[in-house]
Amino acid sequence: MKLNLGVLPVLLAILIAGCNDVKATQQTTKQADQLVKQKPVIYDKNDAVINEVFKDVAKIAPSDKPMIIIFGTNTDPYTDKLKSDINASTQLKEKLKNEFSSYYLRAHKNLNHKFYHDGEFMDVDTKTLLSIYAIDATPSIIFCDKRGKTILIVPGYMPPKQFLQTMNFIKSGIWEGKNRKNGEIYEALRQYYIKNGIDVTKKADR
């Protein structure tokens, strides 16, 4: 699938994302159109975990917790693999449900949302959020602080151990005071991975 980065090293994808400001552009609007307009529904066997773990996307807000937003589609095997990982892991389920305000957005369904931004709620649709976060791959995972400010953007599939350690990194606060746009946060994450036994040279699907 053209819009999938699952076969690339996740760390490389994170570093690339860190070099780009999160903003709506003509290019990302076209990419959002492509995601929203996807019609075939192939991978939906793990959809039950979405209702079990994630909050209702009608209202998206950190609610005094770090926030995770996952964009996925039912036409993407790597999105299905991520949902399967969550379904099989008690640790992932518990962290997503209890330690974060976690949301799963179906990129192929253009729904309306109340979205918390800069201290207030605004009315947006899924397509607008795809553009805001410059989403061009599924799954994509957005990690935000308790105010809803973006900390990390991870385009592509993230294996369970790496997902867990990334959540631990967010909870640790190591990223605070570091700049995402110039790569400081991503370098801190790389060092955190190495310290916690994650081989950053491996591909994401291994």
Side-chain angles (χ1 to χ4, degrees), residues 133-164:
Y133 288 111
I135 300 301
D136 61 0
T138 57
S140 282
I141 309 173
I142 316 298
F143 295 88
C144 304
D145 64 17
K146 294 180 180 181
R147 298 165 295 172
K149 184 178 179 180
T150 303
I151 303 169
L152 290 169
I153 299 175
V154 181
Y157 168 74
M158 179 175 279
K161 183 178 178 181
Q162 194 166 353
F163 195 1
L164 284 167

Side-chain angles (χ1 to χ4, degrees), residues 8-206:
L8 297 178
V10 166
L11 185 67
L12 176 60
I14 294 173
L15 290 171
I16 291 170
C19 296
N20 297 300
D21 192 12
V22 180
K23 59 184 178 181
T25 64
Q26 187 176 26
Q27 181 182 6
T28 56
T29 298
K30 289 180 180 178
Q31 291 163 344
D33 283 336
Q34 290 177 0
L35 285 167
V36 169
K37 289 178 180 178
Q38 291 182 55
K39 293 181 180 179
V41 177
I42 303 171
Y43 303 97
D44 58 2
K45 63 182 180 180
N46 289 299
D47 268 13
V49 76
I50 295 173
N51 292 330
E52 179 186 352
V53 173
F54 295 93
K55 294 178 177 291
D56 188 344
V57 297
K59 186 176 181 180
I60 300 173
S63 302
D64 202 34
K65 292 181 180 180
M67 183 167 70
I68 291 175
I69 302 173
I70 298 176
F71 291 91
T73 71
N74 282 6
T75 57
D76 171 20
Y78 283 96
T79 295
D80 194 61
K81 186 171 175 60
L82 178 63
K83 289 186 289 187
S84 178
D85 291 343
I86 295 169
N87 194 41
S89 171
T90 301
Q91 279 186 292
L92 282 174
K93 283 182 180 178
E94 291 301 312
K95 278 187 174 294
L96 286 166
K97 287 172 67 174
N98 300 323
E99 298 183 27
F100 292 81
S101 291
S102 304
Y103 300 90
Y104 179 91
L105 294 176
R106 294 173 171 90
H108 56 286
K109 291 187 177 182
N110 196 28
L111 304 178
N112 294 319
H113 314 278
K114 293 281 187 183
F115 181 67
Y116 187 83
H117 179 72
D118 283 345
E120 60 183 9
F121 284 95
M122 61 181 184
D123 294 315
V124 298
D125 58 15
T126 307
K127 181 179 173 181
T128 300
L129 290 177
L130 288 167
S131 293
I132 287 173
Y133 288 111
I135 300 301
D136 61 0
T138 57
S140 282
I141 309 173
I142 316 298
F143 295 88
C144 304
D145 64 17
K146 294 180 180 181
R147 298 165 295 172
K149 184 178 179 180
T150 303
I151 303 169
L152 290 169
I153 299 175
V154 181
Y157 168 74
M158 179 175 279
K161 183 178 178 181
Q162 194 166 353
F163 195 1
L164 284 167
Q165 289 300 340
T166 306
M167 286 193 278
N168 289 339
F169 172 80
I170 298 300
K171 293 284 290 184
S172 74
I174 292 172
W175 51 270
E176 292 184 29
K178 293 180 171 59
N179 191 317
R180 177 175 63 87
K181 294 179 183 178
N182 69 10
E184 289 180 356
I185 289 179
Y186 298 91
E187 175 58 23
L189 176 62
R190 189 179 76 87
Q191 294 298 329
Y192 188 86
Y193 283 164
I194 294 170
K195 181 180 178 181
N196 287 279
I198 293 179
D199 185 350
V200 297
T201 65
K202 284 188 176 181
K203 289 189 175 182
D205 56 341
R206 291 183 182 178

